[in-house]
Amino acid sequence: MNRCRCTIAPPSLLLTVAEQGDAETRDAALRTLLTSVALRSRRSSFGPTLLRFGLSPADLDFLPAQAPDTGPENSVYDVAGGEEQALPGRLVRGTTDPPTGDAAVDEAFDGAATTADFYREEFDRDSVDGRGLDLVSSVHFGQRYDNAFWTGDQMVYGDGGGGVFVPGGLTRAIDVIAHELTHGVTQFSAGLEYRGQSGALNESFSDVFGILVKHRAEGIDAASASWLIGEDILEPALGGALRNMIAPGTAYAGDDQPADMDAYVDLPADDDPRNDNGGVHINSGIPNRAFAEAARALGGDAWATLGPVWYEVLTGGELSRFADFEDCAALTVAVAGERYGGGSTEQDAVRGGWEAVKVRLPPDPR
Ligand SMILES: [Zn+2]
């Protein structure tokens, strides 16, 4: 099936063929026409066309099953060992295609769909940009490439196996996939600058929504959760996970995340990769733990209790792209108060989370 929207035959030609042909030709022409447009626009924009052929919307059922009425297109490409210049690679699975049997392809596909469903169902957000941006993932990036990233347009996954991640580990973890897609959400909302504390907040929001997508998909309770990001995808000799949100600095041998502001790591935001853009993956442990402590204190479904608070802070327009930890802390406390009431259990939990990591808060009015 041709899923590209750049068609060689103009729609008017296909319509003419459909009107003049026999039943078989008509079906073939309509099928081509309808599969050439975005799935979500079929039913809305083809009503008049259907009427001309004496068809009802139910007659669209000849189209492939599971065509979603809403939601972004979801496409996975195979970049087959190539790097940036080869992106996105060859399309291997589109929105309505069945599983391919290539685990990386199918995991990237499922993870993107699960994450988009999360944002739509929990926060009524249509894809990462809130406007239905198509989800594009490329797998098999580079040779034994030990990372995954968001380019600003799409997700990219290496195969691992270079000594850090187990082969196939990067697409196996739903929290890693949701982490990458959340970088897109941040890009289209608060736009947190990727250096220093604003960069550490950018990383932390990706971990927070990464873990919430996992908790929701797997029915994990905040009180008993491990709060591990990327569990069981590192080479076992390194450790059990990539990050530990409730106990930063303990995920693997050499984990350098601080657990509170007393241990904050002040690094220059220069080009030296060891400095990590001013510690964006290092100091993110502090806001990560603030969230995890607050959510654990409340227990239950963290995506439903504090998910909306963190989401409102990220997307509500008040968090500056240069925000620091204190700005974020003050806003989460304020939003928890607006949502649940001043002095509510939820607001107290948020306050307690930031107190645990020693980030200064505005005075409690009580
Ligand atoms: Zn990240």
Side-chain angles (χ1 to χ4, degrees):
M1 184 167 75
N2 175 19
R3 202 164 281 95
C4 176
R5 296 186 211 168
C6 319
T7 55
I8 192 151
S12 58
L13 173 59
L14 290 160
L15 274 171
T16 302
V17 170
E19 281 175 326
Q20 295 174 356
D22 57 17
E24 201 178 325
T25 310
R26 187 191 75 169
D27 277 2
L30 280 175
R31 195 183 294 255
T32 303
L33 190 63
L34 290 165
T35 53
S36 303
V37 298
L39 288 166
R40 63 179 170 277
S41 64
R42 276 182 195 154
R43 285 171 199 273
S44 55
S45 59
F46 277 79
T49 303
L50 293 170
L51 282 176
R52 282 176 61 192
F53 291 96
L55 300 172
S56 76
D59 292 309
L60 285 183
D61 291 348
F62 73 84
L63 288 167
Q66 72 176 23
D69 285 339
T70 57
E73 299 280 322
N74 184 10
S75 308
V76 183
Y77 292 75
D78 184 352
V79 67
E83 300 194 344
E84 270 86 352
Q85 67 281 2
L87 287 173
R90 183 173 62 92
L91 178 65
V92 287
R93 188 171 173 190
T95 310
T96 58
D97 291 340
T100 62
D102 178 332
V105 171
D106 295 331
E107 288 164 352
F109 181 94
D110 292 343
T114 299
T115 304
D117 287 349
F118 171 90
Y119 277 108
R120 188 177 64 250
E121 291 165 13
E122 294 297 321
F123 309 128
D124 200 25
R125 184 181 188 84
D126 186 8
S127 189
V128 297
D129 64 343
R131 304 173 67 182
L133 184 76
D134 290 346
L135 303 171
V136 176
S137 309
S138 294
V139 299
H140 303 312
F141 179 89
Q143 302 294 328
R144 298 186 180 204
Y145 184 75
D146 265 332
N147 217 336
F149 58 95
W150 166 257
T151 65
D153 298 304
Q154 68 160 103
M155 292 154 290
V156 181
Y157 303 95
D159 289 325
V164 178
F165 293 96
V166 294
L170 286 157
T171 47
R172 194 184 306 154
I174 180 65
D175 45 344
V176 169
I177 291 176
H179 175 109
E180 296 313 326
L181 273 167
T182 300
H183 279 311
V185 174
T186 299
Q187 173 186 322
F188 288 105
S189 53
L192 291 159
E193 292 285 322
Y194 205 62
R195 61 175 179 270
Q197 287 197 19
S198 58
L201 288 171
N202 189 321
E203 271 302 312
S204 179
F205 276 104
S206 273
D207 278 349
V208 164
F209 289 103
I211 204 76
L212 292 181
V213 169
K214 178 176 178 173
H215 281 193
R216 183 174 181 268
E218 300 180 9
I220 296 170
D221 187 291
S224 55
S226 70
W227 295 102
L228 296 173
I229 296 284
E231 197 169 3
D232 296 331
I233 65 169
L234 290 185
E235 288 291 350
L238 287 176
L242 196 52
R243 282 185 283 281
N244 185 326
M245 295 180 72
I246 199 82
T250 66
Y252 61 92
D255 183 352
D256 52 4
Q257 285 206 317
D260 62 37
M261 288 303 286
D262 288 348
Y264 184 86
V265 185
D266 217 342
L267 290 167
D270 59 16
D271 292 334
D272 185 338
R274 285 171 304 182
N275 292 330
D276 184 32
N277 295 97
V280 299
H281 295 88
I282 297 171
N283 293 311
S284 59
I286 293 170
N288 274 1
R289 183 179 161 213
F291 178 87
E293 294 278 3
R296 188 165 71 173
L298 289 172
D301 300 340
W303 64 91
T305 57
L306 295 185
V309 174
W310 256 247
Y311 181 76
E312 171 65 21
V313 169
L314 180 63
T315 63
E318 287 196 51
L319 189 69
S320 139
R321 65 193 178 99
F322 302 109
D324 61 18
F325 292 174
E326 289 184 16
D327 296 330
C328 185
L331 266 175
T332 56
V333 170
V335 170
E338 287 161 18
R339 189 172 183 91
Y340 295 110
S344 59
T345 309
E346 290 84 356
Q347 193 191 35
D348 282 351
V350 173
R351 191 177 280 283
W354 291 109
E355 283 169 356
V357 298
K358 303 180 183 176
V359 168
R360 198 165 42 195
L361 287 167
D364 189 343
R366 285 174 290 175

